[in-house]
């Protein structure tokens, strides 16, 4: 982690901190609320500071009043004995006056007038709507510079392309050539390199008015405009426009006059450090601190293109220590891999040159990224930021847990063991897959009395170490309920509870089995079938595929599921069993554009019409944004959004299986109300998967261990889907004779009761 020590900054935007002495307390309190700093400074009409009012000062004044009037003058409640510093004091003496008690310090001139506010805080910089700190995403700048080659139309095209590529900012350059170059004009007596540069600049600059029109276009399309000024007149022009921050080019890091002019604006500054040695960087930092500037230093090598060997990304760590600030990277090397690596090292600003054509005239074009390359860089940066994650205690992801079960090893019984019998070492061996206790836990099992009957070849589970594990019993629900089963464990599971139904989770291999050979009796209960998602030859069911042959094959495989479901009917009482299907709409590398979804829903609706559904009902399951497909994560695009689900159901006269875990993850990802989601889709719900969820991809969690408010959920289920059946689809709930399912049902029984009590008392808090 790069240096993140607290720093002292001066804010010269004093208007948000200052109130006139005769203004009311109500006005002062409103300003305290608006500036979010907990105080205001009370000044007279000349700007002389007369006092300070903090939240604490107001409370102390309030308790002393017999009748408080918020229209009283603010000076009556202000603290007249306050700490201050003078403009021009060295930064160390100002910082020394800041403390836990004094977090904001008025800076006054020789006449006592308020000119700035000093504050000590952790590194943070606000540029427009972007807040940069140690945890924020990198601020990505498309450096257009003069790559518009003097054309406003080209500038607008570049702005549009930068926005489409994912840039946060489009940056330009502004210079008054007569002020920047000697003799007031681009002369012919310069060295060849300077002569070439001056010639380009003289031909390829936008006028002041054109530059402002380009900035206006940035704002219209929703990208932040910034600019690098090269002289004081350009700073004045940019201030007149309302620029929110400034970039200082590497060429001007050694120009204290320009740095001071920009710092005096009080705006945040991004300063490139190319072409400067360490002593020069330190000198600039000292000046910036003396001026109380807010700044980020950008590591940079100013050669075009820069050789990779000369970049020295590790220097960013040292640069952060020199600057006592956030750092970024301004790159001129080929490609974008170094910029992505800079983000991994902590860069909070990334700047890369941007062009539509690298063959255009001008040195910058050759080191610029094309729009598709810039877009790839932005995506890579965001991927890396997400992958950086946390340094907290490592936890297994859902995908890892799935793969661990498939690929790892676990403890297995070598012989039959009766309940109460002491388990010895000879009764345990290590075998794949990893569904049971991990091998390193063998010692915990040896000498333990068996808490259940164990058959030779059975896995040992964590529940075998816990005498308080949950077991099946009679449950009380006001709607049909059941549990997930496979052919091989159905009979044992059913015998342990008063289930109304079972939900068969079929594999593609189950489709080749005659159900009558696996279920030897008729059961007085209902059943639901969950269609396989994966079929032979790695075919993932996808009724939304735009490849007709693939889609038709999916329809054919789903028809096989329908046939197996019909074969199961004579063994149960259900007259029209439901078949749950994940209808498709997944993608491997990124989510679809929104516009792609309409046609995909249409293809699903039409595909379902090709099925022979006589005697069955196909219902589509709601999906999470990032589903786990056999140990790996994908993107899901359909049946994730509540409005789209409801529209599909109405258009095609379909019902759904609402998986609350999937849909809560979807709401977490979209930052939308889960309650509103439920209110939208529950009227179309035939069957439910009740299970908890956490974050954006933590699905299948035990009830009450995640983010779902089950009291609210159960209340809405009773109101909007009172007859919908359900199962607790807790991941690995079938282990240890269904212990996870029985625990879930016990908790749901309690939550439904709490929801009914809350409804009766009308004390529900909606989340």
């Amino acid at each position: 982690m790069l240096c993140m020590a607290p720093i002292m900054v001066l804010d010269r935007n004093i208007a948000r901190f200052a109130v006139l002495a005769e203004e009311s307390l109500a006005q002062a309190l409103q300003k305290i609320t608006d500036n979010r700093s907990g105080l205001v400074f009370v000044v007279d009409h000349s700007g002389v500071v007369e006092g300070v009012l903090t939240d604490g000062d107001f409370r102390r004044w309030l308790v002393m009043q017999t009748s408080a009037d918020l229209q009283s003058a603010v000076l009556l409640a202000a603290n007249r004995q306050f700490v201050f510093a003078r403009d021009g004091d060295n930064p160390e003496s100002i910082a020394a006056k800041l403390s836990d008690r004094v977090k904001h310090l008025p800076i006054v001139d020789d006449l006592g007038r308020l000119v700035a506010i000093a504050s000590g805080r952790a590194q943070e910089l606000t540029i427009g709507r972007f807040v940069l700190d140690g945890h924020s995403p990198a601020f990505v700048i498309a450096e257009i510079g003069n790559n518009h080659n003097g054309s406003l139309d080209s500038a607008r095209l570049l702005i549009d392309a930068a926005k489409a590529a994912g840039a946060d900012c489009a940056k330009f350059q502004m210079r008054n050539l007569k002020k920047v170059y000697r003799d007031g004009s681009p002369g012919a007596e310069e060295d060849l390199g300077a002569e070439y540069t001056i010639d380009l600049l003289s031909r390829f600059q936008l006028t002041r008015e054109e530059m402002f029109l380009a900035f206006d276009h940035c704002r219209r399309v929703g990208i932040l405009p910034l600019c690098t000024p090269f002289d004081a007149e350009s700073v004045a022009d940019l201030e007149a426009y309302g620029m929110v921050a400034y970039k200082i080019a590497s060429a001007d890091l050694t120009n204290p006059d320009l740095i001071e002019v920009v710092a005096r604006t009080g705006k945040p500054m991004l300063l490139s450090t190319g072409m400067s040695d360490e002593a020069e960087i330190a000198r600039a930092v000292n000046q910036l601190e003396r001026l109380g500037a807010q700044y980020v230093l950008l590591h940079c090598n100013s050669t075009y293109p820069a050789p990779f060997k000369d970049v020295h990304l590790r220097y960013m760590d040292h640069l952060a220590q020199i600057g006592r600030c956030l750092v970024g990277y301004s790159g001129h090397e080929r490609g974008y891999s170094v910029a992505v690596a800079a983000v991994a090292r902590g860069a909070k600003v990334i700047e890369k040159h941007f062009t539509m054509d690298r063959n255009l005239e001008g040195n910058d074009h050759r080191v610029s990224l094309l729009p598709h390359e810039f877009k790839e860089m932005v995506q890579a940066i965001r991927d890396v930021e997400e992958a950086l994650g946390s340094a907290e205690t490592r936890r297994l992801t859902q995908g890892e847990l799935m793969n661990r079960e498939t690929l790892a090893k676990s403890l297995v019984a070598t012989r039959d063991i009766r309940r109460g019998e002491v388990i010895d070492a000879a009764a345990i061996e290590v075998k794949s897959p990893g569904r049971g206790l991990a091998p390193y836990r063998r010692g915990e099992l040896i000498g333990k009395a068996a808490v259940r009957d164990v058959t030779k070849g059975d896995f040992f589970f964590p529940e075998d170490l816990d005498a308080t594990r949950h077991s099946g019993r009679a449950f009380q629900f006001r709607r049909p309920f059941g549990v997930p089963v496979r052919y091989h464990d159905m009979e044992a599971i059913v015998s342990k509870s008063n289930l109304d139904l079972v939900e068969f989770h079929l594999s593609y291999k189950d489709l080749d089995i005659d159900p009558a050979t696996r279920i030897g009796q008729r059961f007085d209960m209902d059943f639901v079938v969950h269609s396989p998602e994966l079929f032979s030859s790695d075919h993932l069911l996808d009724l939304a595929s735009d490849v007709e042959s693939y889609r038709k094959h999916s329809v054919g495989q789903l028809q096989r599921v329908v046939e197996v479901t019909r074969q199961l009917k004579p063994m149960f009482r259900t007259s029209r069993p439901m078949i749950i299907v994940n209808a498709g709409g997944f993608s491997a590398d990124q989510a679809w554009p929104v516009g792609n979804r309409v046609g995909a829903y249409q293809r699903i609706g039409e595909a379902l019409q090709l099925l022979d559904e006589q005697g069955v009902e196909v219902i589509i399951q709601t999906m999470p944004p990032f589903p786990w497909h056999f140990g790996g994560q994908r993107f899901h695009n359909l049946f994730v959004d509540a409005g789209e689900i409801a529209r599909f159901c109405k258009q095609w006269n379909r019902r759904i299986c609402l998986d609350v875990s999937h849909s809560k993850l979807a709401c977490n990802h979209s930052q939308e109300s889960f309650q509103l989601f439920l209110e939208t889709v529950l009227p179309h719900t035939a069957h439910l998967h009740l299970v908890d969820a956490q974050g954006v991809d933590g699905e299948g969690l035990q009830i009450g261990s995640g983010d779902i408010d089950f009291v609210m959920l159960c209340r809405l289920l009773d109101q909007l889907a009172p007859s919908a059946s359900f199962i607790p689809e807790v991941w690995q709930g079938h282990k240890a004779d269904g212990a996870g399912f029985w625990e879930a049902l016990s908790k749901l029984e309690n939550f439904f009761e709490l929801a009914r009590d809350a409804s009766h008392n009308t004390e529900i808090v909606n989340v």
Side-chain angles (χ1 to χ4, degrees):
M1 175 66 70
L2 297 175
C3 171
M4 289 299 296
I7 56 175
M8 187 276 292
V9 296
L10 292 186
D11 188 345
R12 295 185 181 274
N13 178 18
I14 62 173
R16 62 195 187 99
F17 289 98
V19 294
L20 291 172
E22 63 267 28
E23 288 189 70
S24 70
L25 276 166
Q27 291 171 303
L29 292 172
Q30 182 60 55
K31 183 159 282 192
I32 289 175
T33 300
D34 293 341
N35 68 34
R36 296 182 296 179
S37 295
L39 85 172
V40 288
F41 295 101
V42 183
V43 300
D44 66 13
H45 282 278
S46 298
V48 174
V49 182
E50 296 192 355
V52 58
L53 179 75
T54 66
D55 290 328
D57 294 325
F58 173 70
R59 286 194 296 271
R60 282 187 288 274
W61 174 83
L62 191 62
V63 297
M64 295 174 62
Q65 309 305 307
T66 56
S67 177
D69 181 4
L70 293 184
Q71 297 307 310
S72 300
V74 63
L75 191 59
L76 294 176
N79 174 15
R80 307 293 291 271
Q81 304 297 318
F82 55 90
V83 180
F84 66 92
R86 295 199 177 275
D87 198 20
D89 288 352
N90 66 63
E92 291 78 10
S93 66
I94 296 176
K97 294 182 178 181
L98 294 167
S99 65
D100 289 340
R101 188 178 67 85
V102 180
K103 293 183 171 62
H104 303 277
L105 188 71
I107 308 297
V108 301
D109 63 13
D110 291 339
L111 298 177
R113 295 175 298 193
L114 184 67
V115 294
I117 313 296
S119 60
R121 54 176 169 78
Q123 294 170 4
E124 179 181 292
L125 202 73
T126 299
I127 301 177
R129 62 183 177 86
F130 299 93
V131 177
L132 309 186
D133 59 28
H135 304 286
S136 63
F139 179 65
V140 181
I141 300 171
E143 164 65 335
I144 293 172
N146 286 324
N147 280 356
H148 46 68
N149 285 25
S151 164
L152 179 58
D153 288 340
S154 294
R156 287 172 173 149
L157 287 174
L158 284 162
I159 290 165
D160 292 342
K163 171 64 176 177
D168 298 315
C169 166
K171 193 179 76 62
F172 295 84
Q173 298 174 7
M174 180 181 277
R175 50 175 66 77
N176 183 323
L177 289 175
K178 292 182 179 180
K179 297 293 183 181
V180 172
Y181 288 96
R182 63 182 183 147
D183 298 329
S185 63
E189 298 180 0
E190 304 293 350
D191 290 339
L192 293 178
E195 184 177 312
Y196 171 69
T197 300
I198 293 169
D199 176 57
L200 289 177
L201 293 175
S202 65
R203 291 187 290 118
F204 289 163
Q205 288 222 112
L206 294 177
T207 66
R208 178 182 185 272
E209 290 70 26
E210 288 173 329
M211 188 73 77
F212 289 176
L213 290 172
F215 297 159
D216 290 343
H217 188 70
C218 287
R219 291 178 168 175
R220 266 194 304 275
V221 302
I223 190 171
L224 184 73
L226 287 184
C227 193
T228 299
F230 284 82
D231 56 87
E233 283 195 8
S234 295
V235 176
D237 286 343
L238 294 170
E239 276 294 283
Y241 178 81
M243 193 60 48
V244 299
Y246 291 98
K247 166 74 188 297
I248 299 294
S250 291
D252 277 315
L253 191 72
T254 56
N255 181 356
D257 294 341
L258 182 63
I259 288 175
E260 179 163 1
V261 169
V262 175
R264 291 292 181 186
T265 69
K267 306 291 178 60
M269 302 168 65
L270 309 175
L271 300 96
S272 282
T273 57
M275 301 188 291
S276 291
D277 62 27
E278 191 161 305
E280 290 168 333
I281 295 171
R283 185 217 60 79
V285 167
N286 288 336
Q287 180 187 14
L288 292 164
E289 290 185 335
R290 188 172 64 253
L291 293 167
Q294 303 176 69
Y295 60 93
V296 175
L297 296 181
L298 306 185
H299 180 50
C300 179
N301 182 284
S302 296
T303 46
Y304 299 78
F308 292 123
K309 68 179 181 60
D310 294 341
V311 171
H312 301 298
L313 274 186
R314 289 191 178 95
Y315 188 75
M316 284 200 310
D317 298 22
H318 190 50
L319 186 63
Q321 294 173 351
I322 295 171
R324 296 176 289 279
C325 63
L326 297 170
V327 298
Y329 179 68
S330 177
H332 304 109
E333 70 290 332
R334 297 175 178 90
Y336 57 78
S337 57
V338 174
V340 176
V343 171
R345 289 200 68 84
K348 289 300 169 183
V349 176
I350 292 294
E351 179 183 53
K352 288 287 285 184
H353 287 267
F354 187 71
T355 186
M356 304 297 286
D357 184 351
R358 275 196 285 266
N359 295 314
L360 292 174
E361 184 181 3
N363 204 36
D364 285 352
H365 289 288
R366 290 190 286 278
V367 296
S368 296
L369 295 179
L370 298 171
H372 75 276
E373 295 170 330
F374 201 97
K375 184 174 184 179
E376 291 168 2
M377 179 189 74
V378 172
Q379 184 59 57
I381 285 171
R382 301 311 178 210
D383 290 345
V384 164
E385 288 172 336
E386 186 173 2
L388 285 171
S390 162
E392 296 175 1
T393 302
R394 192 183 194 283
R395 295 175 57 192
L396 271 66
T397 66
Q398 192 75 14
E400 284 184 306
L401 289 169
M402 294 168 70
N403 283 335
R404 176 168 168 159
E405 177 176 316
T406 302
L407 302 173
K409 295 179 174 65
S410 52
L411 301 177
V412 175
T414 61
R415 57 177 171 82
D416 291 346
I417 303 172
R418 299 291 298 275
R419 180 176 180 177
E421 182 181 343
V422 175
I423 302 169
D424 57 23
I428 308 169
E429 63 180 344
V430 175
K431 295 284 187 182
S432 283
R435 288 171 51 193
L437 275 174
Y440 73 85
R441 304 192 70 178
R442 183 201 298 260
E444 298 175 59
L445 200 57
I446 294 173
K448 189 86 173 174
V451 297
R452 62 184 175 97
D453 291 339
V454 181
T455 304
K456 179 181 178 179
D458 277 357
F459 294 99
F460 291 102
F461 299 107
E463 289 80 5
D464 289 310
L465 300 173
D466 182 7
T468 62
R469 69 192 185 96
H470 291 263
S471 56
R473 61 172 174 83
F475 296 94
Q476 299 297 320
F477 294 101
R478 298 181 184 179
R479 66 177 66 238
F481 76 99
V483 295
V485 297
R486 299 289 305 279
Y487 284 154
H488 67 271
D489 63 9
M490 181 227 166
E491 198 166 339
I493 291 285
V494 166
S495 68
K496 300 182 187 303
S497 183
N498 59 330
L499 306 176
D500 298 307
L501 59 92
V502 290
E503 181 178 304
F504 285 105
H505 284 212
L506 299 182
S507 71
Y508 68 84
K509 285 194 169 185
D510 290 335
L511 302 182
D512 298 324
I513 298 172
D514 180 358
T517 65
R518 304 301 300 272
I519 301 174
Q521 58 175 302
R522 189 181 189 279
F523 291 88
D524 186 25
M525 63 192 318
D526 297 326
F527 79 100
V528 177
V529 166
H530 197 307
S531 170
E533 195 169 8
L534 178 70
F535 292 84
S536 59
S537 301
D538 282 346
H539 180 87
L540 273 169
L541 186 78
D542 190 3
L543 302 178
S545 174
D546 56 4
V547 179
E548 185 177 4
S549 59
Y550 194 100
R551 190 169 65 253
K552 285 185 175 179
H553 186 64
S554 292
V555 172
Q557 295 304 305
L558 186 54
Q559 189 65 56
R560 293 180 64 203
V561 178
V562 171
E563 298 304 326
V564 169
T565 304
R566 289 179 182 143
Q567 293 173 33
L568 282 165
K569 284 176 66 174
M571 289 165 264
F572 296 87
R573 69 186 182 202
T574 314
S575 60
R576 191 169 183 238
M578 293 179 284
I579 301 173
I580 302 164
V581 59
N582 295 342
F586 52 84
S587 50
D589 299 318
Q590 60 185 359
W592 291 347
V594 174
N596 289 15
R597 303 203 293 247
V598 176
Y601 279 114
Q602 183 71 21
R603 289 191 291 274
I604 290 176
E606 292 172 354
L608 290 173
Q609 289 187 322
L610 299 175
L611 285 174
D612 173 9
E613 288 185 73
Q614 184 176 1
V616 303
E617 179 187 6
V618 172
I619 61 175
I620 297 177
Q621 182 172 224
T622 63
M623 297 302 294
F626 306 106
W628 297 103
H629 279 178
F630 307 98
Q633 197 176 70
R634 297 201 181 201
F635 297 82
H636 217 288
N637 304 285
L638 307 180
F639 299 97
V640 175
D641 177 82
E644 292 177 0
I645 294 168
R647 284 192 292 274
F648 179 88
C649 291
K650 292 174 184 176
Q651 179 181 353
W652 298 98
N653 193 27
R654 290 280 173 184
R655 298 195 295 171
I656 62 164
C657 169
L658 170 59
D659 186 304
V660 298
S661 177
H662 291 174
S663 297
K664 175 60 174 172
L665 297 176
C667 291
N668 287 350
H669 176 61
S670 63
Q671 298 183 334
E672 296 178 354
S673 165
F674 184 46
Q675 178 172 328
L676 182 59
F677 185 103
L678 294 170
E679 291 170 348
T680 303
V681 304
L682 278 175
H684 307 284
T685 299
H687 184 61
L688 299 151
H689 289 168
L690 300 185
V691 60
D692 219 331
Q694 190 169 56
V696 298
D697 60 9
E699 62 181 273
L701 305 185
Q702 182 55 261
I703 305 296
S705 64
D707 300 334
I708 294 180
D709 178 349
F710 275 93
V711 174
M712 178 272 290
L713 170 64
C714 292
R715 176 179 64 87
L716 291 179
L717 291 178
D718 284 344
Q719 290 178 0
L720 301 175
S723 60
S725 54
F726 79 89
I727 63 160
E729 200 180 30
V730 177
W731 191 71
Q732 299 299 329
H734 63 283
K735 291 182 175 180
D737 298 329
F741 296 148
W742 311 133
E743 179 181 357
L745 288 171
S746 295
K747 290 182 175 181
L748 285 169
E749 202 175 39
N750 184 52
F751 278 123
F752 272 111
E753 191 61 36
L754 288 173
R756 280 189 288 272
D757 290 344
S759 293
H760 292 326
N761 296 328
T762 63
E763 293 177 356
I764 294 295
V765 177
N766 294 330
V767 178

